[in-house]
């Protein structure tokens, strides 16, 4: 393209521009339609040749001059050695599938990536010039504020990440507060029980003993009577019939009778020794029983206290749905968890301070960016208006508008919405470029 000597046009267009020319029917629209399909345009069965099952479009791009597209692919782990292949398959029933570098992708992904790869200036919607994001990039490029815009975006993301974490922490602290309240009650309940390690087993043993106290005493007295006090009939050869003696006396008599046998042989000696051992053990058993009965305590009050204590332990164990033997461990675990939940308010306050600091930093940087943009917007509006006049529209005007956003709508792009407004005819108001 050569500039006319009567027109003050800008510098020659960049090598990124491709122009497709040709006579009517040469196939220009087919090429552009195919590119549009590859970039996510809505498809229908009319794209499939009659008699065929499907239509397949494949477009290959080199990304040397498309850093934004390269970054888009990198962010989604779709990059492939500085190349990009868009593939679209349309079936005869109108359904379609899209692929980016061989990986199945949504049509929206094809559209988003396609807008970063090519701008079709024609009768189609793939025109970046009509998008507000493009207006913002053009203004920042003209104002030489690209670096400041990136800093603004970075600060905004840091602020939002910190704010998201703060929101999650608030939710967690609220949940922890409810949990801490429950834990506090449970720990106090277990502390009031004051169950010691190994206590349950001792309580159960003593409770069982006292529960059978009367029967145990009766059994012991009966056994002692058999050993010492039970009346037995004496040998008619040595005593008169009807007199009573203890078992130990009978065993003693048996030993004495055997010792009088002459001569003594091994069988007699062995029998005497066995009876003598039985006598010793019988006397020891009687002494042990007497000692047991003397020390036996069948205190009903103690039994009732034990019964109430065990009932409290079992009832609390059922409440927590665990074996009673694990109550001491549960008390320790709940106490440790309760302690771990403390300090949430301090963390919350510190994080809120960090969020406030980042918000203030963002507003400071974004305000500086807004000031530079506003100044550059006036100059850019005038420069574009002059070019419109050179295109045979002397009444044409352009206005780069900056609309302040509410604090709740601030974004990584700044604190204002940027849009190009134009008019090409006298008496017509400025309207959005779209």
């Amino acid at each position: 393209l050569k500039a006319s000597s009567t027109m003050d046009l800008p510098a020659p267009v960049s090598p990124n521009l491709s122009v497709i020319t040709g006579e009517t029917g040469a196939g220009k629209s087919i090429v552009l339609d195919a590119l549009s399909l590859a970039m996510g345009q809505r498809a229908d069965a009319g794209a499939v040749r009659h008699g065929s099952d499907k239509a397949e479009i494949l477009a290959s791009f080199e990304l040397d001059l498309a850093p934004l597209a390269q970054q888009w692919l990198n962010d989604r782990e779709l990059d492939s050695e500085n190349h990009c292949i868009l593939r679209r398959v349309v079936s005869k029933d109108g359904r379609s599938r899209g692929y980016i570098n061989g990986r199945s992708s949504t049509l929206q992904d094809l559209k988003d990536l396609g807008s970063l790869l090519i701008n079709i200036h024609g009768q189609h919607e793939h025109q970046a010039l009509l998008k507000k994001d493009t207006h913002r990039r053009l203004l920042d490029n003209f104002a030489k504020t690209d670096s400041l815009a990136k800093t603004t975006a970075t600060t905004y993301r840091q602020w939002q990440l910190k704010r998201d974490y703060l929101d999650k922490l608030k939710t967690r602290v609220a949940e922890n507060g409810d949990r801490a309240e429950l834990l506090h009650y449970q720990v106090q309940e277990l502390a009031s029980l004051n169950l010691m390690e190994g206590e349950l087993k001792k309580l159960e043993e003593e409770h069982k003993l006292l529960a059978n106290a009367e029967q145990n005493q009766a059994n012991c007295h009966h056994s002692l009577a058999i050993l010492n006090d039970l009346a037995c009939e004496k040998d008619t050869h040595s005593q008169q019939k009807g007199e009573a003696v203890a078992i130990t006396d009978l065993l003693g008599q048996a030993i004495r009778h055997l010792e009088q046998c002459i001569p003594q042989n091994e069988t007699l000696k062995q029998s005497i020794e066995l009876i003598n051992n039985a006598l010793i053990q019988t006397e020891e058993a009687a002494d042990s029983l007497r000692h047991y009965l003397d020390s036996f305590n069948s205190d009903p009050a103690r039994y009732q206290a034990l019964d109430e204590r065990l009932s409290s332990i079992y009832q609390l164990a059922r409440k927590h749905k665990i074996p009673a033997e694990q109550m001491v461990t549960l008390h320790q675990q709940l106490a440790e968890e309760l302690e771990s939940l403390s300090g949430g308010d301090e963390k919350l306050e510190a994080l809120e301070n960090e969020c406030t600091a980042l918000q203030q930093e963002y507003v400071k940087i974004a305000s500086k960016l807004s000031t530079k943009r506003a100044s550059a917007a006036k100059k850019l509006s005038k420069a574009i208006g002059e070019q419109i006049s050179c295109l045979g529209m002397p009444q044409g005007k352009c206005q780069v508008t900056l609309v302040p956003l509410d604090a709740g709508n601030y974004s990584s792009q700044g604190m204002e919405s940027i849009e190009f407004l134009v008019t090409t005819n006298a008496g017509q108001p400025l309207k959005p470029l779209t």
Side-chain angles (χ1 to χ4, degrees), residues 236-360:
T236 55
H237 295 287
S238 58
Q239 300 289 343
Q240 294 181 0
K241 188 175 181 180
E243 295 182 4
V245 307
I247 289 179
T248 52
D249 290 340
L250 293 176
L251 291 173
Q253 291 178 18
I255 292 173
R256 286 192 296 274
H257 283 306
L258 293 175
E259 287 177 341
Q260 293 175 3
C261 293
I262 298 174
Q264 293 284 320
N265 58 25
E266 291 300 321
T267 300
L268 288 174
K269 290 180 180 179
Q270 185 177 13
S271 297
I272 293 172
E273 182 179 357
L274 290 172
I275 296 173
N276 188 57
N277 290 337
L279 175 61
I280 294 172
Q281 292 177 356
T282 301
E283 290 175 343
E284 289 179 353
D287 290 340
S288 179
L289 280 175
R290 279 191 291 269
H291 177 73
Y292 176 79
L293 288 171
D294 291 340
S295 62
F296 197 91
N297 183 9
S298 59
D299 185 357
R302 174 60 179 169
Y303 176 74
Q304 183 177 358
L306 287 171
D307 196 58
E308 293 175 354
R309 174 69 169 163
L310 287 171
S311 178
S312 298
I313 295 173
Y314 295 142
Q315 184 177 0
L316 198 55
R318 286 193 297 270
K319 182 177 180 180
H320 289 280
K321 299 179 180 179
I322 62 170
E325 295 81 4
Q326 298 178 10
M327 293 287 285
V328 175
T329 302
L330 176 66
H331 187 192
Q332 295 173 346
Q333 291 175 344
L334 294 182
E336 291 173 358
E337 184 181 355
L338 179 60
E339 184 179 359
S340 69
L341 294 180
S342 63
D345 292 337
E346 291 80 1
K347 296 177 183 177
L348 201 61
E349 182 179 358
L351 194 57
E352 285 177 340
N353 292 335
E354 292 179 19
C355 273
T356 300
L358 282 171
Q359 181 181 9
Q360 292 173 347

Side-chain angles (χ1 to χ4, degrees), residues 212-232:
N212 299 282
E214 294 183 1
Q215 185 64 38
N216 288 346
Q217 282 182 310
N219 290 333
C220 288
H221 279 298
H222 186 65
S223 297
L224 189 60
I226 292 174
L227 293 176
N228 289 328
D229 302 325
L230 183 64
C232 297

Side-chain angles (χ1 to χ4, degrees), residues 114-292:
S115 66
L116 302 176
L117 291 170
I118 186 170
N119 299 321
I120 301 176
H121 297 268
Q123 303 178 44
H124 306 282
E125 66 274 16
H126 290 54
Q127 296 186 23
L129 187 60
L130 302 181
K131 298 181 180 180
K132 288 186 178 181
D133 283 346
T134 302
H135 300 173
R136 174 183 49 76
R137 288 199 297 268
L138 289 173
L139 177 59
D140 283 338
N141 184 262
F142 182 82
K144 301 187 186 304
T145 55
D146 291 328
S147 177
L148 185 59
K150 289 181 181 178
T151 303
T152 300
T154 299
T155 306
Y156 178 83
R157 285 192 290 269
Q158 292 173 344
W159 170 32
Q160 294 306 300
L161 286 173
K162 192 69 69 174
R163 191 175 69 174
D164 290 344
Y165 182 63
L166 175 61
D167 291 340
K168 292 179 182 177
L169 183 60
K170 285 181 178 179
T171 302
R172 194 181 309 141
V173 168
E175 293 173 350
N176 287 350
D178 295 338
R179 176 64 176 165
E181 186 176 350
L182 174 62
L183 286 174
H184 181 74
Y185 170 77
Q186 292 176 331
V187 169
Q188 286 294 105
E189 191 176 36
L190 289 167
S192 299
L193 185 65
N194 194 29
L195 182 63
M196 307 301 292
E197 187 71 40
E199 179 186 357
L200 178 62
K201 184 177 181 180
K202 294 179 181 178
L203 291 173
E204 289 176 333
E205 291 175 352
E206 186 179 359
H207 182 268
K208 186 180 294 184
L209 178 65
L210 292 178
N212 299 282
E214 294 183 1
Q215 185 64 38
N216 288 346
Q217 282 182 310
N219 290 333
C220 288
H221 279 298
H222 186 65
S223 297
L224 189 60
I226 292 174
L227 293 176
N228 289 328
D229 302 325
L230 183 64
C232 297
E233 293 185 354
K234 286 190 175 181
D235 188 341
T236 55
H237 295 287
S238 58
Q239 300 289 343
Q240 294 181 0
K241 188 175 181 180
E243 295 182 4
V245 307
I247 289 179
T248 52
D249 290 340
L250 293 176
L251 291 173
Q253 291 178 18
I255 292 173
R256 286 192 296 274
H257 283 306
L258 293 175
E259 287 177 341
Q260 293 175 3
C261 293
I262 298 174
Q264 293 284 320
N265 58 25
E266 291 300 321
T267 300
L268 288 174
K269 290 180 180 179
Q270 185 177 13
S271 297
I272 293 172
E273 182 179 357
L274 290 172
I275 296 173
N276 188 57
N277 290 337
L279 175 61
I280 294 172
Q281 292 177 356
T282 301
E283 290 175 343
E284 289 179 353
D287 290 340
S288 179
L289 280 175
R290 279 191 291 269
H291 177 73
Y292 176 79

Side-chain angles (χ1 to χ4, degrees), residues 350-422:
L351 194 57
E352 285 177 340
N353 292 335
E354 292 179 19
C355 273
T356 300
L358 282 171
Q359 181 181 9
Q360 292 173 347
E361 179 68 14
Y362 167 80
V363 171
K364 177 182 177 181
I365 297 173
S367 296
K368 184 178 179 180
L369 177 62
S370 297
T371 300
K372 290 182 175 294
R373 281 174 172 175
S375 176
K378 296 178 181 179
K379 299 176 182 178
L380 183 57
S381 297
K382 181 180 178 181
I384 294 176
E386 292 174 353
Q387 294 298 325
I388 292 176
S389 296
C390 293
L391 295 175
M393 294 175 281
Q395 303 299 325
K397 295 180 182 178
C398 176
Q399 179 178 312
V400 181
T401 61
L402 280 68
V403 180
L405 301 173
D406 295 333
N409 293 324
Y410 289 164
S411 72
S412 60
Q413 312 304 336
M415 300 190 300
E416 60 277 324
S417 173
I418 301 171
E419 186 172 18
F420 288 7
L421 303 181
V422 297

